[in-house]
Structure formats: structure tokens, C-alpha cells
Amino acid sequence: MQTMLTWTFCGLTAGIALRSTTAVGWSVAALGIVLLVAVGLYTVHTARARRGALFLVLFLSACTLGIVRMQLAIPTEVPDYMFTTMLKFDGVVVSEPDTRETHTNIIIKSSDVPFLILVRADAYMPVHYADSVRVIGELLPIRNFSSKDGRIFNYRGYLAARDVYALIDNPSSIEVVARKNTPRGMLLNIKQRYLHGLQHVLPEPSAALAGGITVGERRSLGETLTEQFRDTGLIHIVVLSGYNIAVIIVFIATILSFLPKSTQHIVAIVCVILFTLLVGASA
């Protein structure tokens, strides 16, 4: 098993390194698939070489996967003529709107544009996940910015990882055309109702802190309090991690202790998946 993992890891690393240093693209990935088929057929007909061929198959599979992954991660080149132009388009909100103190970040997918667009609208804009919207605004390039300590934050790279390559800041108009109920949207609505419930029963900043600890909702903390947590080294308290998942598993196992272990495990797995979707399914 250890040898197989070693060959797989080496293949994946080799594929990522190959695509990172050379423009091999999809052609080499296709060649890797052809070689995989050839080696697989050879392995079937040659019993003696099966062990060595198995390691070769693992290496080629991982190498091809590394090339494909890097190919998909390459940023899209956006033509300059697309920027600084007034754009009117219809699209769909593809992630939970990110509400800050002064604005709301909304990521929109449109069939009129080959990439996602970040729309920076007014704070507490009544837009939800999966809403169909109509936007009018000036399309701008994403720019990096400096943090308070003077470091340059690669904002372009951060958004490019989510396939976002353009910004509309302060749109002239943003209108909700239609609303659509989806399973993930229902979970996000449950999350928002939970946060609103905390605000009704707890004073601030206790409500914001409870939301951060339980569902990782740092936005409700506000920029000032978030910065204080970051400066004191306590920001991990309100960041979702394996600890939150462990709490869910222990809670489920406790309340279902009268059931067989297999049933507890199945219910816990389902709850963890739903919790992951509820908190946004981010990395």
C-alpha cells in the first residue's frame, strides 16, 4: 500500500510540475490517457508484468490528473476591450452573498460572459443564492491591494481560483428577476434564520461571536471585531475546522447512543454533509 501511495504521489507531483513549467496542455493529458489504455491492455495479457505495470498505471494516472488539474486552474485571459464598458446582463447568483459593513459581494454567472463576475452592491442587498438578477454597471478588472501592514494581497489570484475575473463596483442597477428554491438555498436560509434568532436572544457582540463559533459566520462580527480577533491571535475561534465537525459527530453519537454504531455513523455522515453545505461548502 505504501509503495502504491508513493507512486501515486510522485505521479501527481510530476504532472503538476510538468504543467507548471511547460505549456503541455490537453494534448499531453490525452496522450497520458492513451498510454494508460495501452499499459492496461498489456497488463491484462502479460501476467508476469502485472506488478510493474500496476505501478506504471498509477504513476501515469496521477500524472495525467496533475496535468488536468493544473490546466483547469490556469487563469482565463480577459481581453482589455471588455473592461471599462457599461454592461447589461442577466445572470444567476452562484454563491451565498457576502454581506459586509459597507457593501455586499455577489458572485454572478451569466451566459453573456465567459467567466464569473463579482458585483459589489449596497450593504444588505435583498439578493439570495440562486436568484436570477439583471445587472447594469461598468465592468472593471480585479486589482490587488495593500493590507494595513503593507503587504500586497493577491486579490486577483484569490478570485481567479473561483473563476471570477471582473468586478462591477456600485452597479447602476441590480434587479431580482426571479427566485428559485434549491436544496442548498434552503440550507442557507436555515442558516440565516439561525443567525437572526441568535441576534434576537443574545446582545452584540455575543450573538456575532456565537454565530462565528457555531457556523463560522465571521461577516456578522464586523471588520473592527474581526481585526481585533486577528491581532490577538484568536481568529481561529470563529473559523470552521475539524473541531466543528467533531462536535457534530459527538453530538449525533450522544443523542443516538441507543442505536447501533452503523446507524450512528450513517446519520453523522449525512449531518456532516448537510452542515458543510449549510456553511457554504468553502475550502
Side-chain angles (χ1 to χ4, degrees):
M1 176 61 73
Q2 185 175 359
T3 305
M4 294 172 63
L5 290 176
T6 301
W7 278 88
T8 303
F9 175 77
C10 291
L12 184 65
T13 305
I16 293 174
L18 179 63
R19 183 59 190 93
S20 300
T21 55
T22 59
V24 292
W26 295 109
S27 57
V28 174
L31 177 62
I33 295 174
V34 172
L35 289 175
L36 278 173
V37 174
V39 173
L41 293 174
Y42 177 75
T43 304
V44 170
H45 291 87
T46 312
R48 263 184 222 173
R50 282 188 180 175
R51 181 176 174 81
L54 174 61
F55 293 146
L56 183 58
V57 167
L58 288 174
F59 181 85
L60 289 174
S61 300
C63 185
T64 304
L65 181 62
I67 294 173
V68 171
R69 181 65 187 89
M70 282 301 299
Q71 183 70 20
L72 294 174
I74 294 174
T76 301
E77 293 294 332
V78 182
D80 292 337
Y81 69 82
M82 295 191 67
F83 293 124
T84 64
T85 57
M86 289 298 293
L87 188 67
K88 178 180 180 181
F89 65 93
D90 291 344
V92 178
V93 180
V94 295
S95 64
E96 183 183 15
D98 182 6
T99 302
R100 304 297 178 92
E101 290 184 334
T102 58
H103 62 274
T104 298
N105 291 326
I106 308 169
I107 297 180
I108 298 175
K109 180 179 181 180
S110 173
S111 58
D112 301 327
V113 183
F115 47 81
L116 301 182
I117 298 175
L118 171 63
V119 177
R120 190 166 291 159
D122 295 335
Y124 304 104
M125 184 76 187
V127 176
H128 304 90
Y129 171 76
D131 283 356
S132 296
V133 296
R134 180 167 296 138
V135 182
I136 302 176
E138 183 181 7
L139 199 66
L140 302 172
I142 305 293
R143 302 191 184 280
N144 299 334
F145 58 86
S146 300
S147 59
K148 292 182 178 180
D149 55 4
R151 292 182 297 179
I152 302 297
F153 177 62
N154 186 12
Y155 196 45
R156 292 183 62 185
Y158 171 78
L159 290 178
R162 304 174 65 182
D163 200 30
V164 178
Y165 294 97
L167 164 71
I168 293 182
D169 195 5
N170 244 345
S172 302
S173 172
I174 178 168
E175 173 188 0
V176 177
V177 178
R179 297 197 185 278
K180 181 181 179 181
N181 291 323
T182 64
R184 186 183 175 190
M186 294 173 63
L187 288 173
L188 293 176
N189 287 335
I190 292 174
K191 172 185 171 182
Q192 291 303 320
R193 290 183 181 181
Y194 166 71
L195 293 173
H196 291 156
L198 288 178
Q199 293 172 358
H200 278 76
V201 299
L202 293 175
E204 294 293 354
S206 299
L209 182 59
I213 293 175
T214 53
V215 295
E217 186 64 23
R218 284 186 292 168
R219 294 171 296 182
S220 57
L221 290 172
E223 295 294 337
T224 302
L225 189 56
T226 301
E227 194 63 31
Q228 291 174 351
F229 270 97
R230 189 177 290 112
D231 292 341
T232 55
L234 297 174
I235 191 64
H236 63 276
I237 294 177
V238 293
V239 175
L240 289 172
S241 64
Y243 172 76
N244 303 80
I245 303 299
V247 169
I248 293 174
I249 294 174
V250 171
F251 176 73
I252 296 298
T254 301
I255 63 175
L256 299 180
S257 58
F258 60 93
L259 295 176
K261 286 289 185 182
S262 57
T263 304
Q264 296 179 31
H265 294 164
I266 292 173
V267 175
I269 290 172
V270 172
C271 290
V272 166
I273 293 173
L274 293 176
F275 177 77
T276 303
L277 295 174
L278 181 140
V279 298
S282 63

